[in-house]
Amino acid sequence: MDNTQHTYFAELKLALQKAGYTVQPVEDGHLPIEWNDRRLCQVTESGGIRFRTDDTTDPAAEAARSRVTDIAGVVREYMTLIEQAPDLKVDGLGENYKLLTEFNGAVPAGHPSRYGVEFVTWEWSYGRTGLWQGHYYDPGSGPNGYLSAKQDFCVRSGLMDQNRLFTNEQLAEVYRCVHETLESVYPITPERLKLLEGVAEQVRCAVPDLAELVSQSSERELEPVAEEEQPDVMMKM
C-alpha cells in the first residue's frame, strides 16, 4: 500500500468510526466496512465502494452504504487537496500546514496529524506575513470539519452572503415545517406542492443526521406537554 492510499484510508477510518461504522484492516487494496456486525461494503482508493449485489434488498443497509459513499467522497476530496497543496509559510506558524486556497484575504488550511486533519480559516495580516482571527475545526472532525471550514471561508472571503446560510438545526426545523404543510388537510396548488417536495429533498441531501435532529426537536416540543399531564402529588406527613 503506497503512502497516498495509507493516509487516505487512515483519515477515512477515523471519519467512519466516528459515524458509527466498524473498519477492518485493508484487504487487497480495499478498506472493509462493517455495520450492525456484518460486512457492509469495501471502499476503494478512489473513494468508490464495492458490495455484493444480493445486499441491495435491505433499505437500511442501502442507506448505510450511501452514507459511507458520502463520507468517502468528501474525505477523498480534501485528502487530494492536501496532498497537492503547497506549504503555508508564515512567521510563527508550525510545520505541515497546507494552503488549500485563498481569496480576498481569507485563507483556509489543512493540518494533517495522526489524530486526523485539522482545518483552520484565517485572514492575512501584516502585509501577508502573518495570520489572525483563526477559526479552528478540531483534528478528527473529518467531513464535518472540512465542510464547515469551506463554508466559513466562503463567508469570510465574501464569496457567499452569511444570511443565505442555515445551520443543520435550522434546516431540520424547516424540514419539519415543510412536512407539516404537506401532511395538512389544507388545499395546496400543484406548483407549491412540487416546490415544497423539492425543499424537503434538498434538506435531506444537505443534512446527514437529519432524522436524529428532527427526532430531538420533536422530543423537546413534547416535554412541556408531558410535564403538564403529570398529576399533582401531595406529600403526606
Side-chain angles (χ1 to χ4, degrees), residues 9-21 23 67 71-72 75 78 140-143:
F9 281 163
E11 177 70 17
L12 181 58
K13 179 180 179 179
L14 293 173
L16 289 172
Q17 287 177 330
K18 190 169 184 177
Y21 296 92
V23 181
R67 180 70 179 129
I71 293 173
V75 174
Y78 70 70
S141 58

mmCIF file of all heavy atoms in Angstrom, residues 9-21 23 67 71-72 75 78 140-143:
data_model
loop_
_atom_site.group_PDB
_atom_site.id
_atom_site.type_symbol
_atom_site.label_atom_id
_atom_site.label_comp_id
_atom_site.label_asym_id
_atom_site.label_seq_id
_atom_site.Cartn_x
_atom_site.Cartn_y
_atom_site.Cartn_z
ATOM 1 N N PHE A 9 -6.806 6.135 3.697
ATOM 2 C CA PHE A 9 -7.536 5.137 4.475
ATOM 3 C C PHE A 9 -7.461 5.416 5.976
ATOM 4 O O PHE A 9 -8.415 5.164 6.705
ATOM 5 C CB PHE A 9 -6.994 3.740 4.172
ATOM 6 C CG PHE A 9 -7.508 3.150 2.881
ATOM 7 C CD1 PHE A 9 -6.871 2.065 2.286
ATOM 8 C CD2 PHE A 9 -8.636 3.670 2.263
ATOM 9 C CE1 PHE A 9 -7.356 1.522 1.096
ATOM 10 C CE2 PHE A 9 -9.122 3.134 1.070
ATOM 11 C CZ PHE A 9 -8.471 2.056 0.491
ATOM 12 N N ALA A 10 -6.332 5.950 6.437
ATOM 13 C CA ALA A 10 -6.203 6.282 7.864
ATOM 14 C C ALA A 10 -7.190 7.381 8.249
ATOM 15 O O ALA A 10 -7.849 7.314 9.294
ATOM 16 C CB ALA A 10 -4.769 6.711 8.170
ATOM 17 N N GLU A 11 -7.293 8.417 7.410
ATOM 18 C CA GLU A 11 -8.242 9.502 7.683
ATOM 19 C C GLU A 11 -9.684 9.015 7.545
ATOM 20 O O GLU A 11 -10.552 9.362 8.359
ATOM 21 C CB GLU A 11 -7.979 10.662 6.719
ATOM 22 C CG GLU A 11 -8.934 11.845 6.844
ATOM 23 C CD GLU A 11 -8.746 12.646 8.112
ATOM 24 O OE1 GLU A 11 -7.684 12.504 8.758
ATOM 25 O OE2 GLU A 11 -9.651 13.434 8.468
ATOM 26 N N LEU A 12 -9.941 8.206 6.527
ATOM 27 C CA LEU A 12 -11.290 7.686 6.312
ATOM 28 C C LEU A 12 -11.722 6.797 7.472
ATOM 29 O O LEU A 12 -12.891 6.820 7.887
ATOM 30 C CB LEU A 12 -11.341 6.917 4.999
ATOM 31 C CG LEU A 12 -12.694 6.316 4.605
ATOM 32 C CD1 LEU A 12 -13.760 7.393 4.505
ATOM 33 C CD2 LEU A 12 -12.579 5.548 3.294
ATOM 34 N N LYS A 13 -10.814 6.011 7.995
ATOM 35 C CA LYS A 13 -11.121 5.144 9.130
ATOM 36 C C LYS A 13 -11.612 5.964 10.315
ATOM 37 O O LYS A 13 -12.614 5.616 10.953
ATOM 38 C CB LYS A 13 -9.885 4.335 9.522
ATOM 39 C CG LYS A 13 -10.107 3.423 10.719
ATOM 40 C CD LYS A 13 -8.845 2.640 11.059
ATOM 41 C CE LYS A 13 -9.069 1.744 12.275
ATOM 42 N NZ LYS A 13 -7.844 0.953 12.599
ATOM 43 N N LEU A 14 -10.932 7.064 10.607
ATOM 44 C CA LEU A 14 -11.351 7.926 11.719
ATOM 45 C C LEU A 14 -12.756 8.480 11.481
ATOM 46 O O LEU A 14 -13.594 8.499 12.387
ATOM 47 C CB LEU A 14 -10.359 9.072 11.891
ATOM 48 C CG LEU A 14 -8.945 8.710 12.358
ATOM 49 C CD1 LEU A 14 -8.049 9.950 12.313
ATOM 50 C CD2 LEU A 14 -8.969 8.126 13.758
ATOM 51 N N ALA A 15 -13.017 8.924 10.255
ATOM 52 C CA ALA A 15 -14.313 9.520 9.937
ATOM 53 C C ALA A 15 -15.441 8.495 10.025
ATOM 54 O O ALA A 15 -16.526 8.782 10.544
ATOM 55 C CB ALA A 15 -14.271 10.148 8.544
ATOM 56 N N LEU A 16 -15.192 7.288 9.514
ATOM 57 C CA LEU A 16 -16.226 6.256 9.528
ATOM 58 C C LEU A 16 -16.487 5.731 10.938
ATOM 59 O O LEU A 16 -17.630 5.461 11.315
ATOM 60 C CB LEU A 16 -15.826 5.109 8.604
ATOM 61 C CG LEU A 16 -15.879 5.425 7.109
ATOM 62 C CD1 LEU A 16 -15.277 4.288 6.290
ATOM 63 C CD2 LEU A 16 -17.313 5.694 6.663
ATOM 64 N N GLN A 17 -15.440 5.597 11.726
ATOM 65 C CA GLN A 17 -15.631 5.159 13.104
ATOM 66 C C GLN A 17 -16.448 6.180 13.893
ATOM 67 O O GLN A 17 -17.309 5.813 14.707
ATOM 68 C CB GLN A 17 -14.272 4.924 13.770
ATOM 69 C CG GLN A 17 -13.556 3.676 13.289
ATOM 70 C CD GLN A 17 -12.181 3.515 13.915
ATOM 71 O OE1 GLN A 17 -11.506 4.499 14.262
ATOM 72 N NE2 GLN A 17 -11.741 2.278 14.059
ATOM 73 N N LYS A 18 -16.187 7.450 13.650
ATOM 74 C CA LYS A 18 -16.955 8.488 14.328
ATOM 75 C C LYS A 18 -18.419 8.451 13.918
ATOM 76 O O LYS A 18 -19.310 8.816 14.694
ATOM 77 C CB LYS A 18 -16.351 9.864 14.017
ATOM 78 C CG LYS A 18 -16.923 10.983 14.872
ATOM 79 C CD LYS A 18 -16.120 12.254 14.719
ATOM 80 C CE LYS A 18 -16.643 13.336 15.668
ATOM 81 N NZ LYS A 18 -15.830 14.570 15.585
ATOM 82 N N ALA A 19 -18.694 7.976 12.699
ATOM 83 C CA ALA A 19 -20.066 7.886 12.203
ATOM 84 C C ALA A 19 -20.750 6.586 12.627
ATOM 85 O O ALA A 19 -21.902 6.351 12.258
ATOM 86 C CB ALA A 19 -20.079 8.003 10.681
ATOM 87 N N GLY A 20 -20.043 5.738 13.389
ATOM 88 C CA GLY A 20 -20.662 4.536 13.922
ATOM 89 C C GLY A 20 -20.376 3.257 13.170
ATOM 90 O O GLY A 20 -20.981 2.217 13.458
ATOM 91 N N TYR A 21 -19.443 3.285 12.219
ATOM 92 C CA TYR A 21 -19.100 2.089 11.449
ATOM 93 C C TYR A 21 -17.878 1.395 12.065
ATOM 94 O O TYR A 21 -17.071 2.025 12.758
ATOM 95 C CB TYR A 21 -18.798 2.451 10.000
ATOM 96 C CG TYR A 21 -19.968 3.017 9.248
ATOM 97 C CD1 TYR A 21 -20.186 4.397 9.196
ATOM 98 C CD2 TYR A 21 -20.876 2.196 8.587
ATOM 99 C CE1 TYR A 21 -21.276 4.930 8.515
ATOM 100 C CE2 TYR A 21 -21.954 2.716 7.897
ATOM 101 C CZ TYR A 21 -22.149 4.087 7.868
ATOM 102 O OH TYR A 21 -23.225 4.607 7.191
ATOM 103 N N VAL A 23 -14.417 -0.500 11.099
ATOM 104 C CA VAL A 23 -13.480 -0.549 9.967
ATOM 105 C C VAL A 23 -12.448 -1.633 10.226
ATOM 106 O O VAL A 23 -11.788 -1.646 11.265
ATOM 107 C CB VAL A 23 -12.784 0.814 9.768
ATOM 108 C CG1 VAL A 23 -11.843 0.759 8.582
ATOM 109 C CG2 VAL A 23 -13.823 1.920 9.589
ATOM 110 N N ARG A 67 -24.364 6.542 3.058
ATOM 111 C CA ARG A 67 -23.637 7.425 3.986
ATOM 112 C C ARG A 67 -22.132 7.190 3.874
ATOM 113 O O ARG A 67 -21.339 8.135 3.898
ATOM 114 C CB ARG A 67 -24.118 7.169 5.416
ATOM 115 C CG ARG A 67 -23.440 8.033 6.467
ATOM 116 C CD ARG A 67 -23.867 9.464 6.366
ATOM 117 N NE ARG A 67 -23.232 10.287 7.402
ATOM 118 C CZ ARG A 67 -22.592 11.405 7.167
ATOM 119 N NH1 ARG A 67 -22.494 11.871 5.936
ATOM 120 N NH2 ARG A 67 -22.061 12.098 8.147
ATOM 121 N N ILE A 71 -19.264 10.000 2.886
ATOM 122 C CA ILE A 71 -18.088 10.265 3.720
ATOM 123 C C ILE A 71 -16.803 9.998 2.938
ATOM 124 O O ILE A 71 -15.863 10.805 2.958
ATOM 125 C CB ILE A 71 -18.133 9.401 4.998
ATOM 126 C CG1 ILE A 71 -19.295 9.849 5.895
ATOM 127 C CG2 ILE A 71 -16.814 9.483 5.761
ATOM 128 C CD1 ILE A 71 -19.530 8.943 7.092
ATOM 129 N N ALA A 72 -16.774 8.864 2.230
ATOM 130 C CA ALA A 72 -15.573 8.506 1.471
ATOM 131 C C ALA A 72 -15.265 9.542 0.398
ATOM 132 O O ALA A 72 -14.094 9.873 0.158
ATOM 133 C CB ALA A 72 -15.749 7.123 0.843
ATOM 134 N N VAL A 75 -13.875 12.823 2.128
ATOM 135 C CA VAL A 75 -12.508 12.599 2.618
ATOM 136 C C VAL A 75 -11.524 12.508 1.453
ATOM 137 O O VAL A 75 -10.428 13.066 1.510
ATOM 138 C CB VAL A 75 -12.443 11.328 3.487
ATOM 139 C CG1 VAL A 75 -10.995 11.009 3.876
ATOM 140 C CG2 VAL A 75 -13.279 11.498 4.757
ATOM 141 N N TYR A 78 -10.791 16.162 0.230
ATOM 142 C CA TYR A 78 -9.869 17.030 0.968
ATOM 143 C C TYR A 78 -8.486 16.406 1.140
ATOM 144 O O TYR A 78 -7.487 17.134 1.227
ATOM 145 C CB TYR A 78 -10.468 17.513 2.291
ATOM 146 C CG TYR A 78 -10.674 16.529 3.418
ATOM 147 C CD1 TYR A 78 -9.619 15.972 4.130
ATOM 148 C CD2 TYR A 78 -11.975 16.231 3.852
ATOM 149 C CE1 TYR A 78 -9.828 15.128 5.208
ATOM 150 C CE2 TYR A 78 -12.195 15.385 4.924
ATOM 151 C CZ TYR A 78 -11.127 14.834 5.603
ATOM 152 O OH TYR A 78 -11.340 14.000 6.680
ATOM 153 N N GLY A 140 -9.828 15.169 13.581
ATOM 154 C CA GLY A 140 -10.822 14.125 13.769
ATOM 155 C C GLY A 140 -12.234 14.569 13.453
ATOM 156 O O GLY A 140 -13.161 13.761 13.467
ATOM 157 N N SER A 141 -12.423 15.859 13.140
ATOM 158 C CA SER A 141 -13.765 16.343 12.790
ATOM 159 C C SER A 141 -14.173 15.888 11.402
ATOM 160 O O SER A 141 -15.350 15.935 11.043
ATOM 161 C CB SER A 141 -13.832 17.868 12.890
ATOM 162 O OG SER A 141 -12.871 18.485 12.048
ATOM 163 N N GLY A 142 -13.195 15.439 10.590
ATOM 164 C CA GLY A 142 -13.471 14.807 9.310
ATOM 165 C C GLY A 142 -14.284 15.655 8.355
ATOM 166 O O GLY A 142 -14.093 16.876 8.242
ATOM 167 N N PRO A 143 -15.237 15.019 7.642
ATOM 168 C CA PRO A 143 -16.043 15.753 6.664
ATOM 169 C C PRO A 143 -16.782 16.939 7.258
ATOM 170 O O PRO A 143 -16.898 17.983 6.603
ATOM 171 C CB PRO A 143 -17.028 14.685 6.159
ATOM 172 C CG PRO A 143 -16.292 13.402 6.315
ATOM 173 C CD PRO A 143 -15.509 13.565 7.589
#
